[in-house]
Amino acid sequence: MSLNKQMIMFITTMVIILLVGTFWLNMNNTKNFLQEQLQSHAQDTATSLGLSLSSLADPNDISSMETMINAVFDRGYYAHITLNDMDNITLYKRENTKSMEAVPDWFINAIQLEAPSAQALVQTGWIPIGTLDIASHTGYAYIELWKTVRNLLMWFSLAAVFAILIVIYALKIMLKPLKDMEKQAEAIVKKEYLIQEDLPTTIEFRSVVGAMNAMVNKLKTVFERDANTAEKLQKMAYQDSVTELSNRRHFEMIIDSLLDPSEENKPGTILLVRVNELKHLNDQFGYLVGDKLMKALAQQLQINLKHENSIFARLNGTELVAVIPGLNGTLLKTPAENIAVSIIGILSDLQANKADTWLSVAYTDFEPGQSRGPLLANLDFAIEQADKAGKNEAYYYNTNNQTSEQSDQALALIDQAISENRFVLFQQSAYATSRKIHSQELFIRLKDIDGSIRSAAYFMPAVERLNRTQQIDQMVIKLALNHLQLNQDKNLAINLSKSIIEDNIFQAELLNELKNNKPLCPQLSFELPERLITELKGKSWPLVNKLKQQGVNIGIDHFGSRLGNMGYLQDLHPNYVKLDAAFSKAIENDQQTRDYVSGLCELADSLDIDVIAMTVENESQLKAFSELGVKYFQGYHFGAPSAL
Amino acid sequence: MAARRLESWQKVVDNNQNKTDQEKLEVVNNFFNQVRFIDDIVHWRQKDYWATPVELLATDGGDCEDYSIAKYFTLKALGVPESKLYITYVKAIRLNQAHMVLTYFETPRSIPLVLDNINPRILQANKRKDLVPIYSFNGDGLWLARERGRGKSVSGGTSRLKKWNLLLKRLNQ
């Protein structure tokens, strides 16, 4: 039982005991008073009647005596008036046996009022001739007592109800800080850091809340320090200090994971910018101006190629690179040319127009399964072509002429597949060290007409072009819920794409669907890429919070891939994070990557967030991650995606 | 002196337990009639003060109701039945004033004997032409009523005359 209830019960009991006691005392006093009144009333009558009867001259004049007794009896309120002679033989008696109508019988039975009789002598001269015996009628007293009891009962009940209401209300107010402290303590257990701004006025509560706030602040500081450390490690490992783009190491990690055919990767475009005669600028205007040029170029790159999933890096002193997954090179003509000529503006901004520095821009397509070497060789070939074309020229090396022709055909096929619902779910499990399944990540696969299974890389570009990603997402969610209804003990993880974040109607439908399947929600996880969490915070966070309210789990995919602050983990507090696949390539050999991943694990661990290493392909990677504190793994080492 | 009077009262009670009612009446009447008659207003500086037997003896002074009460309680202590004793309000004709005497009834209907301080002899009531009877009370009840009238907390009934009973008990020893 809660403290609140116990105190209410205790105080209520005390109040009732007090009131009942006072009530009893009051009633008894009234009763005793009435009782005495009854007696003295009887005695007074006995004396005065006795005196009157004694004044009669004739002791045998019974009829006169009867008349006098009648007069007294009829005017008063007596149980009986009896005249006895000296041998106790009744000479005359009047009696009133009527019961009280105004008072209930149970009350009369419960409260015994006695009307003691009073005696007086009747005498003639010196000699007593008889005795009078008189008792008052209790009726009047009962009526009085009954009225008193009813009044008392009414007022005392009112007082009791009022007192109890006040007690309940007062306790609610007094114990509110306790409730808040309970919430705070629960939040601490969940690694959420809640500060109570309004300190309670009760001294004891005040000091406890103060202590708890101090503790929460301490934990917060520790977390923030860890987050800063992770960020520093990240910058040291993967960031170019001048342009604040990724460095070559990061670029290689990312491009490798994008080219990995085992992942759900899409083909894309890679663009290279080479600054020619940078030395000329440096020599004439100093290194600082050179650095400013590189920085401005990096900004131009980011502005012109702002696209979902774009990655920008500085390969070396004079080369910048942009990777744009999911985009065909044919669409890059204008942005590439814009970038190529942007140097003219930049140089004039730097007041270095005279510098003989110019750009070559080249871009080409890539697709999963390619190796990094040949891809970079293609890019080198392309940049030579741009060089030959002249200063500030862009060159597109188109390596997949046939895809556009294919895609028209593919579009029709995929359209047909959607209408025929020819999709199935595949899954890849994330395992704990103990081989217990953490969750099963779902992938959608297309079943071709010939029965062969096609991965997302095959049909997703077409789906995107048809603007039907949302339909695919809905399908995945529906299939997953159906599967959970039949398989109670599974945990399924669904990837959410940008489409859901931008489509309010789809969001509402999803939340409604979850509401209708409330019991299944704890078995569902939704994964969002870190990019959506950090770059589209305004849209993604409200969605995440709404999803959390439904009781589903939240995961962050590609965790650690973006250069930036990790502090958001504390506020968003997902259930798990999936390390970016890029780390897996470097984890065995690159000490800086190891330091950074280790920092990330500590950070997540301090918030009780599970960390899952992705694309784990061999025992040594598993070992390397384990050493850094990773407890969950997913990848080909544990098996390829299979039908759910 | 006061102590001696109280002691001799004690002796009166102790030595006459086995006498007849008649003898007891004589002894008690004579014993208390020795006490000086002093008007309440002079003695107690208030009108109509009812003294206890102890006060009566200790101060060696009292008026009619003090004599009657003292005689009544002493006779009770000597074992005379309560039902035979009455305190009677009378009018003293010659003095033309309200007076009080103790009356003793041999039987309920017999003519009572009068124990008076004006006339120290115990006479039958019909011989006392100087007194007109007005009304009689049982001694205990009357005493209680008086005490209550004086503002003392006294609940009714003979059994509740605790102090008196204690005193009477002491007298009996």
Side-chain angles (χ1 to χ4, degrees), chain A residues 8 73 132 143 168 211 231 241 250 325 360 368 376 382 392 397 407 414 464 470 516 547 558 567 587 607 616 628:
Chain A
I8 286 176
F73 184 84
L132 268 176
I143 289 170
I168 291 173
E231 203 181 342
S241 56
H250 201 211
S360 301
L376 293 182
N392 303 334
Y397 180 30
S407 60
I414 285 153
E464 274 165 27
Q470 184 193 322
N516 294 336
L547 287 172
H558 301 294
I587 199 73
L607 294 172
V616 177
L628 299 175

Side-chain angles (χ1 to χ4, degrees), chain A residues 50-51 54 87 121 123 125-126 128, chain B residues 86 90 103 105 109 125 133 135-136:
Chain A
L51 204 49
S54 299
D87 298 322
L121 275 181
Q123 62 188 98
W126 289 100
Chain B
Y86 286 91
V90 295
T103 47
F105 289 79
R109 289 169 198 281
Y135 200 51
S136 304

